[in-house]
Amino acid sequence: MLSGIAPRVFLPGNMAELLAIYRQNPNALLWAGGTAIGGLRKNDPQYARPKKIISLAMVSEIAKVSRTERYLEIGAAVPYNKILQVGQHVLPSALSQGLSLLRPMPLRNLATLGGNLAVRGLRLNAYPILLLLDARIELRREGRNRWITMQRLFDRAGNPILDSGELITRIRIPFEEWDLGYFRQIGTPMNDLRSSLSFCCTGKIVKATVSDLRCAFGTFSPLVIRNRELEAFLSGKKVPFTRKEREEALAMMEKTIAESPGISSFQKNRARELFDWFIHVLREPD
Ligand SMILES: Cc1cc2nc3c(=O)[nH]c(=O)nc-3n(C[C@H](O)[C@H](O)[C@H](O)COP(=O)(O)OP(=O)(O)OC[C@H]3O[C@@H](n4cnc5c(N)ncnc54)[C@H](O)[C@@H]3O)c2cc1C
């Protein structure tokens, strides 16, 4: 799969071994499902010719899904299909839609959330929806673990804040009564980054009134687009929105899209169209 001189491969059998090996080899490439590494290796020399690889395959501590009354906790190395299967009754709808969009289907037996979040220079499907769901991320390195919000996982330029020898280990999603979950994807980021885009929303609509509506665009750069002012504007409004409300909301979103760096004009147009359509058809779910 990888070209050039054969890399040295580490296969830690548990978390303690993984953290120790990663501390000693902080430049090694972590290998979860290997799907993004495989898909991006043509364009990224670090993926094409890693000197050292640390496989996460045998680390059972990050291969589990568990739940409490308050949250669902997903190990960073759990394959999508297991997440979808174990979490079928409790996963927020927008997240299961986003994970189910990964094609071809066999990739879902390999692809993981940790790998999706950590792809270099690109916020793929999982990040925007986990952001909207107020998920928290556990980061571990030898001798330290910390829980951070999704916002804090990347700096303003979209670079991960992971320290040397630190990796993503768990993702915690609080349980909330979402009435609405929506995920759409245009194109695929592995084929053409300038024409791919994802749009996700989650929300609560009670008695035809929006009590909480969150939307984000991703899969176009290391950044995502979200307008909290717009979300506050829509909160408390009845659905369907009036024409004036839609026009005002669209103008706010257009401004945010226009100001976002790293998004092509094709993506801008599609983002505008998707949002316009979404606020047009939004109704109280049955
Ligand atoms: C044909 C094809 C189509 C795809 N389409 C989509 C798509 O439509 N939408 C989408 O979102 N993605 C898509 N992907 C990308 C990819 O499959 C997913 O993002 C997947 O979730 C990556 O997970 P993985 O476990 O395979 O990551 P890997 O490939 O193993 O790793 C990806 C990166 O994350 C790092 N990493 C892995 N685990 C951790 C960890 N626990 N902590 C820190 N760093 C870590 C690795 O070192 C590497 O840099 C596609 C890929 C292919 C090949």
Side-chain angles (χ1 to χ4, degrees):
M1 192 177 192
L2 299 167
S3 56
I5 301 164
R8 184 169 175 203
V9 179
F10 297 91
L11 194 62
N14 57 47
M15 180 61 76
E17 274 179 34
L18 166 62
L19 297 178
I21 292 170
Y22 201 22
R23 179 180 59 76
Q24 289 154 15
N25 302 275
N27 296 324
L29 181 66
L30 295 176
W31 186 290
T35 61
I37 295 171
L40 293 167
R41 70 186 196 281
K42 281 192 212 110
N43 306 324
D44 187 334
Q46 287 173 295
Y47 283 155
R49 284 180 290 281
K51 292 196 175 79
K52 295 177 186 173
I53 289 175
I54 303 175
S55 167
L56 305 183
M58 304 302 285
V59 184
S60 61
E61 291 95 325
I62 50 173
K64 295 180 213 161
V65 181
S66 61
R67 59 178 291 187
T68 70
E69 269 182 23
R70 288 184 298 123
Y71 53 76
L72 181 69
E73 196 167 274
I74 303 172
V78 180
Y80 280 12
N81 269 345
K82 184 170 170 187
I83 301 173
L84 289 165
Q85 188 198 343
V86 177
Q88 60 179 312
H89 300 301
V90 290
L91 267 190
S93 165
L95 179 60
S96 47
Q97 290 174 49
L99 301 186
S100 303
L101 283 170
L102 182 63
R103 296 205 170 85
M105 275 168 65
L107 284 184
R108 287 182 230 151
N109 291 323
L110 299 168
T112 66
L113 280 184
N116 190 287
L117 291 172
V119 167
R120 291 177 190 145
L122 192 53
R123 295 295 73 79
L124 291 168
N125 284 14
Y127 180 76
I129 188 62
L130 289 172
L131 178 75
L132 300 185
L133 294 171
D134 289 331
R136 293 176 71 82
I137 305 289
E138 184 192 46
L139 305 179
R140 285 189 73 171
R141 66 175 188 185
E142 201 173 38
R144 184 183 84 182
N145 85 316
R146 52 179 175 149
W147 283 94
I148 60 165
T149 59
M150 289 302 295
Q151 285 95 318
R152 287 210 43 230
L153 185 56
F154 301 97
D155 64 20
R156 282 177 166 270
N159 302 310
I161 54 108
L162 293 171
D163 287 335
S164 175
E166 190 172 49
L167 76 153
I168 300 168
T169 43
R170 285 182 286 179
I171 297 100
R172 200 176 263 180
I173 304 168
F175 286 130
E176 289 226 31
E177 291 287 322
W178 299 108
D179 305 304
L180 174 86
Y182 181 81
F183 200 107
R184 282 292 174 279
Q185 185 174 325
I186 296 166
T188 160
M190 298 291 131
N191 291 346
D192 181 7
L193 196 50
R194 304 304 290 164
S195 64
S196 68
L197 185 75
S198 64
F199 174 57
C200 54
C201 289
T202 193
K204 298 175 190 173
I205 300 181
V206 182
K207 294 189 180 146
T209 303
V210 173
S211 70
D212 191 351
L213 186 63
R214 308 173 185 186
C215 299
F217 294 96
T219 320
F220 60 89
S221 85
L223 304 171
V224 295
I225 294 176
R226 182 179 182 189
N227 183 333
R228 285 172 178 269
E229 202 189 321
L230 165 61
E231 292 171 10
F233 168 75
L234 293 175
S235 185
K237 304 242 175 331
K238 290 256 181 211
V239 288
F241 297 130
T242 64
R243 183 183 190 139
K244 188 165 177 294
E245 287 164 348
R246 288 201 313 268
E247 284 172 358
E248 215 168 317
L250 184 60
M252 290 168 89
M253 187 55 101
E254 278 176 338
K255 186 166 181 294
T256 309
I257 293 168
E259 288 167 355
S260 295
I263 180 167
S264 69
S265 45
F266 173 83
Q267 288 161 323
K268 280 182 184 167
N269 287 336
R270 297 311 301 269
R272 184 197 174 282
E273 284 165 13
L274 264 173
F275 186 73
D276 190 23
W277 172 81
F278 177 74
I279 51 173
H280 204 94
V281 299
L282 187 64
R283 301 285 185 276
E284 183 170 17
D286 297 331

